[in-house]
Amino acid sequence: MSVAEAQAAELSLERPSGLWRDAFDRFRRNPAALVGVGLLLVLIIAAVFAAQLAPHEPNQQVGPLSTNPAGPGGGFTLGLDEQGRDVLSRLLFGARLSLLVGVVSVAIGLSIGLVFGAVAGYIGGWVDTAIMRVMDLLLSVPSLLMAIGLVTLLGRGMVQIMFAVGVTTVPIFARLLRGSILGQREADYVLAARSVGVPGRRLLLGHIIPNSIAPVIVQATLTMATAIIEVAALSFLGLGPGDPSLPEWGKMMADNANRLESAAHLVLLPGFAIVISTMGLNLIGDGLREAIDPKLRS
Amino acid sequence: MLKYIVRRLILTVPILLGLSILVFLFVRALPGGPAIALLGERATQESVEQIEEELGLDRPLPVQYLSYLRNILSGDLGSSVSTRRPIVDELKQRFPATFELAAMAMLFAVAAGIPLGYVAAKRYQGVLDNVSLVASLIGISFPVFFLALLMKYVFAVKLGWLPTVGRIDVTRSLEHPTGFYLLDAIIAGDGEAFVDVLEHLIMPAIALGTIPLAIVARITRAAVLDVLGEDYVRTAKAKGLDPSVVDRRHVLRNAMLPVVTVIGLQTGLLLTGAVLTETVFSFPGLGSWILNAIRFRDYAVIQGGILFFAGMFIVVNLLVDISYAFLNPRIRYR
């Protein structure tokens, strides 16, 4: 057997395993990441089955109006709010809003950011310079301030708010994908694909982007946590959804910020609901990062 | 080095210009103009037009922009539409407040975060390491305003240890030559006032500094772990260098580079967080000022405030880039 044949035989003994399969295996063995998945599942189940799980309608008055509403325990698992509404039901329906906000605003930021990042990274030259300078410009405005500005400009509907928060994340994704593509553009496999005549568009969409996307996915998970916090912060500042009946967590906190003494549960419960969601997403994001990039593995 | 600084400064000019256009257009696009904001929804057409003429809002946009730019360059940011006070005066008063707050928050984050991350890395996978990882995860996941509310409730309302609002006790008289209250108290030689100001700063600063603290700790841990595995650290140890010297001169110094980057980036986020922290603690800084301006469509304040905010961010990033050179002599700027 020649040396080449020997090597070939040796190689074929290994089960071929791709990056994603490897990553999945590593992710599955990471306890912290699994805790994150658990927390996220809680959020998803609460959001999807809010109507089935909630004992009452989120806006239904089921108890007395009171400046000193009943806390957890008693007839209502998590107590009532000042308008006699069931807190548990409102929290569950609030999960819907938060999850929606997280997913949609990141999807908006991600898709715009990916287009800019891909164009800048792939075309290069003055297009790259122009796009990246605009991104620098956007990054120089603190994100919450920009979101506040956009909401003031566009109005306070849920769609506008998700758009505003999404836009603030565009430069992050654009930069990340651009950097990642720049690293791939000169790689051997790209050269190989180009030399066998793969057209530019397919080269970008079929080869370069799939190989550059890993860090973007990690960032998207982490950004989802930020987006949830940011929308809650907007609500907290009185710039949340214009519809006052929406059980948005940040708004629930803002409405009761001065009732910490008499009805702490009205601030603490939505607060911890936010923390659980963001913690779940952060744990998953970290887990994914470690799974995808073996260098960062501890 | 000097050439590099000059070049970086020149590069910030187009960014600031672009920013001024962006902010200028944004403010003009806001629904309802400042005249309406000033006169109320039921203002007559004539009075609206009169105010708009007074403020120069009836001229074409490019003309408005150019005169605005000319004013900025001569150091005149205009006056607040609602209070009629010059923006520059207001900035002089509010910038020191936010600066003091942000500086204290950063001090807290760095002073606690670097040792925490360092110790966690040295005790890699030990109890302390895991505790610090969990703690930093909690720190990152907590919304700033929630933490601020909790602290306010526990330490101010329940325990009564710290004051709830403002920068200084309203009954205290203290001259403000600098506007930095801590500095003012030192200048006046007033120890009590100094403590008072510090007490007003503690909670907002910790609330604001928690996320940067968590991030600084994480990055420090990762960076120290990286450096500990380097050949030059093994060499230094092998040649019998005192372990504390190895840690100080070889490990920490080399690990600081990513940490400094993150500190710079976090400073920008700190300014964002300041909007929330200042709101919870009624702290009279830039954040709450701009927020109110947006609510009341105070054109001049929004323009001046956001430009100033972004300008600060750019300066901070410049300082970070320059500090690289001091920390890492391998970087030579051309």
Side-chain angles (χ1 to χ4, degrees):
Chain A
M1 202 164 27
S2 74
V3 175
E5 274 170 320
Q7 276 175 349
E10 231 169 80
L11 279 176
S12 66
L13 288 178
E14 284 173 25
R15 187 166 56 97
S17 69
L19 168 77
W20 296 106
R21 159 124 220 123
D22 260 10
F24 179 70
D25 281 343
R26 278 197 293 267
F27 187 82
R28 225 179 32 186
R29 285 196 300 267
N30 181 343
L34 293 183
V35 171
V37 170
L39 292 177
L40 185 66
L41 274 180
V42 171
L43 178 70
I44 292 176
I45 291 172
V48 173
F49 298 106
Q52 284 76 32
L53 291 171
H56 303 279
E57 288 290 308
N59 288 309
Q60 183 191 6
Q61 192 191 334
V62 291
L65 293 180
S66 163
T67 49
N68 191 8
F76 302 94
T77 321
L78 294 180
L80 296 173
D81 72 359
E82 75 289 354
Q83 296 190 40
R85 296 174 296 194
D86 180 48
V87 173
L88 174 61
S89 308
R90 291 183 67 72
L91 283 178
L92 287 170
F93 279 93
R96 244 178 214 193
L97 283 178
S98 281
L99 195 64
L100 183 76
V101 156
V103 172
V104 175
S105 38
V106 168
I108 293 172
L110 189 66
S111 40
I112 305 178
L114 287 191
V115 171
F116 280 135
V119 169
Y122 187 68
I123 297 180
W126 69 268
V127 177
D128 180 27
T129 312
I131 291 179
M132 291 331 283
R133 285 299 83 75
V134 173
M135 294 300 136
D136 285 349
L137 196 66
L138 292 179
L139 272 180
S140 71
V141 183
S143 67
L144 182 64
L145 215 55
M146 181 144 77
I148 291 173
L150 284 171
V151 170
T152 325
L153 197 66
L154 303 171
R156 290 172 47 192
M158 276 308 279
V159 178
Q160 286 92 325
I161 289 173
M162 291 187 287
F163 179 77
V165 172
V167 166
T168 63
T169 66
V170 166
I172 305 172
F173 289 117
R175 274 191 156 188
L176 204 58
L177 188 69
R178 171 185 174 268
S180 202
I181 285 181
L182 283 184
Q184 301 287 330
R185 208 171 52 175
E186 310 299 329
D188 287 345
Y189 75 91
V190 175
L191 197 67
R194 203 191 296 269
S195 65
V196 297
V198 176
R201 214 171 64 104
R202 242 186 66 207
L203 191 64
L204 182 64
L205 295 177
H207 296 265
I208 299 181
I209 289 187
N211 280 294
S212 318
I213 208 79
V216 177
I217 293 173
V218 173
Q219 186 61 45
T221 322
L222 298 171
T223 306
M224 219 177 275
T226 325
I228 290 178
I229 291 188
E230 206 135 284
V231 171
L234 279 175
S235 287
F236 185 77
L237 293 173
L239 291 162
D243 180 357
S245 66
L246 282 180
E248 208 283 326
W249 291 341
K251 188 177 179 317
M252 289 166 79
M253 293 175 73
D255 288 347
N256 300 291
N258 47 12
R259 284 204 188 81
L260 261 170
E261 184 91 46
S262 58
H265 68 286
L266 293 182
V267 178
L268 296 182
L269 292 173
F272 285 119
I274 298 175
V275 174
I276 288 174
S277 327
T278 52
M279 203 181 279
L281 287 165
N282 281 330
L283 280 169
I284 294 176
D286 283 350
L288 281 177
R289 193 206 310 267
E290 284 176 24
I292 292 173
D293 184 357
K295 266 193 315 227
L296 282 170
R297 268 170 62 74
S298 40
Chain B
M1 182 71 182
L2 190 69
K3 244 164 101 185
Y4 171 76
I5 296 176
V6 171
R7 216 188 59 196
R8 276 294 313 262
L9 278 174
I10 292 172
L11 274 177
T12 59
V13 173
I15 293 201
L16 279 173
L17 263 181
L19 197 72
S20 71
I21 295 177
L22 211 68
V23 172
F24 176 85
L25 290 178
F26 159 70
V27 164
R28 259 79 194 162
L30 283 180
I36 302 278
L38 207 60
L39 298 169
E41 296 290 338
R42 283 183 296 175
T44 62
Q45 188 64 33
E46 291 101 78
S47 51
V48 168
E49 274 168 16
Q50 196 198 331
I51 291 277
E52 284 189 338
E53 205 188 314
E54 229 176 85
L55 298 173
L57 296 170
D58 54 343
R59 293 173 298 166
L61 278 184
V63 178
Q64 285 186 43
Y65 176 71
L66 284 180
S67 82
Y68 174 65
L69 198 63
R70 213 175 11 248
N71 287 339
I72 297 180
L73 292 178
S74 61
D76 176 15
L77 289 172
S79 298
S80 157
V81 177
S82 52
T83 64
R84 303 254 163 185
R85 284 189 62 191
I87 305 290
V88 176
D89 286 3
E90 196 107 25
L91 270 177
K92 272 185 202 148
Q93 198 182 338
R94 288 185 177 262
F95 167 66
T98 298
F99 185 86
E100 242 175 21
L101 175 60
M104 285 295 278
M106 228 355 143
L107 191 71
F108 165 69
V110 170
I114 291 182
L116 203 67
Y118 176 71
V119 173
K122 291 290 276 189
R123 305 262 183 284
Y124 177 56
Q125 289 191 339
V127 178
L128 216 76
D129 185 23
N130 286 321
V131 168
S132 87
L133 277 180
V134 172
S136 69
L137 174 75
I138 294 175
I140 289 172
S141 307
F142 247 74
V144 174
F145 55 94
F146 185 35
L147 187 65
L149 275 178
L150 282 182
M151 289 177 57
K152 190 173 160 182
Y153 176 60
V154 174
F155 296 105
V157 179
K158 274 279 163 196
L159 298 171
W161 289 354
L162 294 165
T164 48
V165 296
R167 292 179 73 189
I168 191 166
D169 196 298
V170 283
T171 57
R172 185 178 299 281
S173 64
L174 178 70
E175 291 284 315
H176 300 301
T178 65
F180 296 93
Y181 283 15
L182 284 175
L183 216 59
D184 291 340
I186 294 174
I187 290 172
D190 189 340
E192 267 180 49
F194 187 82
V195 173
D196 186 24
V197 173
L198 210 55
E199 280 179 346
H200 278 83
L201 269 173
I202 289 177
M203 278 200 293
I206 292 180
L208 188 55
T210 301
I211 291 180
L213 161 67
I215 294 175
V216 167
R218 289 176 99 166
I219 300 289
T220 307
R221 173 179 176 272
V224 169
L225 278 179
D226 246 13
V227 175
L228 280 176
E230 292 282 349
D231 288 343
Y232 56 77
V233 171
R234 200 172 23 155
T235 308
K237 278 185 190 152
K239 72 181 184 188
L241 215 56
D242 184 352
S244 69
V245 176
V246 176
D247 280 352
R248 214 174 44 240
R249 266 208 230 137
H250 297 270
V251 177
L252 263 181
R253 186 164 169 158
N254 282 298
M256 277 308 103
L257 214 54
V259 178
V260 171
T261 314
V262 162
I263 291 175
L265 290 174
Q266 285 302 309
T267 309
L269 294 176
L270 216 57
L271 299 176
T272 297
V275 178
L276 292 161
T277 321
E278 287 176 9
T279 305
V280 173
F281 292 103
S282 310
F283 201 83
L286 289 173
S288 49
W289 183 49
I290 296 178
L291 185 66
N292 276 325
I294 289 180
R295 279 191 189 143
F296 297 112
R297 283 184 236 115
D298 199 332
Y299 276 26
V301 174
I302 302 175
Q303 276 176 343
I306 294 187
L307 267 184
F308 189 78
F309 242 94
M312 262 163 62
F313 188 57
I314 291 169
V315 170
V316 168
N317 277 324
L318 179 65
L319 291 178
V320 168
D321 281 358
I322 294 171
S323 66
Y324 280 175
F326 288 104
L327 281 166
N328 189 351
R330 269 177 304 188
I331 297 178
R332 287 276 173 262
Y333 296 103
R334 265 155 291 159

